[in-house]
Coordinates of all heavy atoms in Angstrom, one line a residue:
L1 N 8.6 -12.0 2.4 CA 8.2 -10.8 1.8 C 9.3 -10.1 1.0 O 9.1 -9.0 0.5 CB 7.6 -9.8 2.7 CG 6.2 -10.2 3.3 CD1 5.7 -9.1 4.2 CD2 5.2 -10.4 2.1
R2 N 10.5 -10.7 1.0 CA 11.7 -10.0 0.5 C 11.5 -9.7 -1.0 O 12.2 -8.8 -1.5 CB 12.9 -10.8 0.7 CG 13.3 -10.9 2.2 CD 14.6 -11.6 2.4 NE 14.9 -11.8 3.8 CZ 15.5 -11.0 4.6 NH1 15.8 -9.8 4.1 NH2 15.7 -11.2 5.9
S3 N 10.7 -10.4 -1.7 CA 10.5 -10.1 -3.1 C 9.1 -9.5 -3.4 O 8.6 -9.6 -4.6 CB 10.7 -11.4 -4.0 OG 12.0 -11.8 -3.8
Y4 N 8.5 -8.9 -2.4 CA 7.2 -8.4 -2.6 C 7.1 -6.9 -2.3 O 7.5 -6.4 -1.2 CB 6.2 -9.1 -1.7 CG 5.9 -10.5 -2.1 CD1 6.7 -11.5 -1.7 CD2 4.8 -10.8 -2.9 CE1 6.5 -12.8 -2.1 CE2 4.5 -12.1 -3.3 CZ 5.4 -13.1 -2.9 OH 5.1 -14.4 -3.2
A5 N 6.6 -6.1 -3.2 CA 6.2 -4.7 -2.9 C 4.9 -4.8 -2.1 O 4.1 -5.7 -2.3 CB 6.0 -3.9 -4.2
M6 N 4.8 -3.9 -1.1 CA 3.6 -4.0 -0.3 C 2.8 -2.7 -0.3 O 3.4 -1.6 -0.6 CB 4.1 -4.2 1.2 CG 4.8 -5.5 1.4 SD 3.9 -6.9 1.1 CE 2.6 -6.8 2.4
G7 N 1.5 -2.8 -0.1 CA 0.7 -1.6 -0.1 C -0.4 -1.7 1.0 O -0.7 -2.8 1.5
W8 N -0.8 -0.5 1.4 CA -1.9 -0.4 2.3 C -3.0 0.3 1.6 O -2.8 1.4 0.9 CB -1.6 0.4 3.6 CG -0.8 -0.3 4.6 CD1 0.6 -0.3 4.8 CD2 -1.3 -1.2 5.6 NE1 0.9 -1.1 5.8 CE2 -0.2 -1.7 6.4 CE3 -2.6 -1.7 5.9 CZ2 -0.3 -2.6 7.4 CZ3 -2.7 -2.6 7.0 CH2 -1.6 -3.0 7.7
F9 N -4.2 -0.2 1.7 CA -5.4 0.4 1.1 C -6.5 0.5 2.1 O -6.4 -0.1 3.2 CB -5.9 -0.5 -0.1 CG -5.0 -0.5 -1.3 CD1 -3.8 -1.3 -1.2 CD2 -5.3 0.3 -2.4 CE1 -3.0 -1.3 -2.3 CE2 -4.4 0.2 -3.5 CZ -3.3 -0.5 -3.4
R10 N -7.5 1.3 1.9 CA -8.6 1.4 2.8 C -9.9 1.5 2.0 O -9.9 2.0 0.9 CB -8.4 2.6 3.7 CG -8.5 4.0 3.1 CD -8.2 5.1 4.1 NE -8.3 6.4 3.5 CZ -7.9 7.5 4.2 NH1 -7.4 7.4 5.4 NH2 -8.1 8.7 3.6
Q11 N -11.0 1.1 2.7 CA -12.3 1.2 2.1 C -13.3 1.5 3.1 O -13.4 0.8 4.1 CB -12.6 -0.1 1.3 CG -13.9 -0.1 0.5 CD -14.0 -1.3 -0.4 OE1 -13.4 -2.3 -0.2 NE2 -14.8 -1.1 -1.4
A12 N -14.0 2.6 2.9 CA -15.1 2.9 3.8 C -16.4 2.5 3.2 O -16.5 2.3 1.9 CB -15.1 4.5 4.0
P13 N -17.5 2.3 4.0 CA -18.8 1.8 3.4 C -19.3 2.7 2.3 O -19.3 3.9 2.4 CB -19.7 1.9 4.6 CG -18.8 1.7 5.8 CD -17.5 2.4 5.4
G14 N -19.6 2.1 1.2 CA -20.2 2.9 0.1 C -19.1 3.5 -0.8 O -19.5 4.2 -1.7
K15 N -17.9 3.3 -0.5 CA -16.8 4.0 -1.2 C -15.9 3.0 -1.8 O -15.8 1.8 -1.4 CB -16.0 4.9 -0.3 CG -16.8 6.1 0.2 CD -15.9 7.1 0.9 CE -16.7 8.3 1.4 NZ -15.8 9.3 2.1
E16 N -15.1 3.4 -2.8 CA -14.2 2.5 -3.5 C -13.0 2.3 -2.6 O -12.6 3.2 -1.8 CB -13.8 3.1 -4.9 CG -15.0 3.1 -5.9 CD -14.5 3.5 -7.2 OE1 -13.3 3.9 -7.4 OE2 -15.3 3.5 -8.2
R17 N -12.3 1.2 -2.9 CA -11.0 1.0 -2.2 C -10.0 2.0 -2.7 O -9.9 2.2 -3.9 CB -10.6 -0.4 -2.4 CG -9.3 -0.9 -1.7 CD -9.1 -2.4 -1.7 NE -10.2 -3.1 -1.1 CZ -10.2 -4.4 -0.9 NH1 -9.2 -5.1 -1.2 NH2 -11.3 -5.0 -0.3
E18 N -9.3 2.6 -1.8 CA -8.3 3.6 -2.2 C -6.9 3.3 -1.7 O -6.8 2.8 -0.6 CB -8.8 5.0 -1.8 CG -8.8 5.2 -0.3 CD -9.1 6.7 0.1 OE1 -9.2 7.5 -0.8 OE2 -9.2 7.0 1.3
F19 N -6.0 3.8 -2.4 CA -4.6 3.6 -2.1 C -4.3 4.5 -0.9 O -4.7 5.7 -0.8 CB -3.7 4.0 -3.2 CG -2.2 4.1 -3.0 CD1 -1.5 2.9 -2.9 CD2 -1.6 5.3 -2.8 CE1 -0.1 3.0 -2.6 CE2 -0.3 5.4 -2.5 CZ 0.5 4.2 -2.5
V20 N -3.5 4.0 0.1 CA -3.1 4.8 1.2 C -1.6 5.0 1.2 O -1.1 6.1 1.2 CB -3.5 4.1 2.5 CG1 -2.9 4.8 3.7 CG2 -5.0 4.0 2.7
S21 N -0.9 3.9 1.0 CA 0.6 3.9 1.0 C 1.2 2.7 0.4 O 0.6 1.6 0.5 CB 1.1 4.1 2.5 OG 2.5 4.3 2.5
G22 N 2.4 2.8 -0.1 CA 3.1 1.7 -0.7 C 4.6 1.7 -0.4 O 5.1 2.8 -0.1
V23 N 5.2 0.6 -0.4 CA 6.6 0.5 -0.1 C 7.3 -0.6 -1.0 O 6.7 -1.6 -1.2 CB 6.9 0.3 1.4 CG1 6.3 -1.1 1.8 CG2 8.4 0.3 1.7
S24 N 8.4 -0.2 -1.5 CA 9.1 -1.2 -2.4 C 9.7 -2.3 -1.5 O 9.7 -2.2 -0.2 CB 10.3 -0.5 -3.1 OG 11.2 0.0 -2.1
W25 N 10.1 -3.5 -2.1 CA 10.5 -4.6 -1.2 C 11.8 -4.3 -0.5 O 12.1 -4.8 0.5 CB 10.5 -5.9 -1.9 CG 11.5 -6.2 -3.0 CD1 11.2 -6.3 -4.4 CD2 12.9 -6.5 -2.9 NE1 12.4 -6.7 -5.1 CE2 13.4 -6.8 -4.2 CE3 13.8 -6.6 -1.8 CZ2 14.7 -7.1 -4.4 CZ3 15.1 -6.9 -2.0 CH2 15.6 -7.2 -3.3
S26 N 12.6 -3.4 -1.1 CA 13.8 -3.0 -0.4 C 13.5 -2.0 0.8 O 14.4 -1.8 1.6 CB 14.7 -2.2 -1.4 OG 14.2 -0.9 -1.7
G27 N 12.3 -1.4 0.8 CA 12.0 -0.5 1.8 C 12.5 0.9 1.5 O 12.1 1.9 2.3
G28 N 13.2 1.1 0.5 CA 13.8 2.4 0.2 C 12.9 3.3 -0.5 O 13.2 4.6 -0.5
I29 N 11.9 2.9 -1.1 CA 10.9 3.7 -1.9 C 9.6 3.6 -1.2 O 9.0 2.5 -1.0 CB 10.8 3.3 -3.3 CG1 12.2 3.3 -4.0 CG2 9.9 4.3 -4.1 CD1 12.9 4.7 -4.0
T30 N 9.0 4.8 -0.9 CA 7.7 4.8 -0.3 C 6.8 5.8 -1.0 O 7.3 6.7 -1.7 CB 7.7 5.2 1.2 OG1 8.3 6.5 1.3 CG2 8.5 4.2 2.0
S31 N 5.5 5.6 -0.9 CA 4.6 6.5 -1.6 C 3.3 6.7 -0.7 O 2.9 5.7 0.0 CB 4.2 6.0 -3.0 OG 3.2 6.8 -3.6
Y32 N 2.7 7.8 -0.7 CA 1.5 8.1 0.1 C 0.5 8.8 -0.7 O 0.8 9.6 -1.6 CB 1.9 9.0 1.3 CG 2.9 8.3 2.2 CD1 4.3 8.6 2.0 CD2 2.5 7.5 3.2 CE1 5.2 8.0 2.8 CE2 3.5 6.9 4.1 CZ 4.8 7.1 3.9 OH 5.7 6.5 4.7
S33 N -0.8 8.6 -0.4 CA -1.8 9.4 -1.0 C -1.8 10.8 -0.4 O -1.3 11.0 0.7 CB -3.2 8.7 -0.7 OG -3.6 9.0 0.6

């Protein structure tokens, strides 16, 4: 995974998939909804 940015998403029934959190491959940059 060293060259992959990663993200977490979630989806509830009847709703669109939404961004929860993301992290750069270095781990140094994060983002949250």
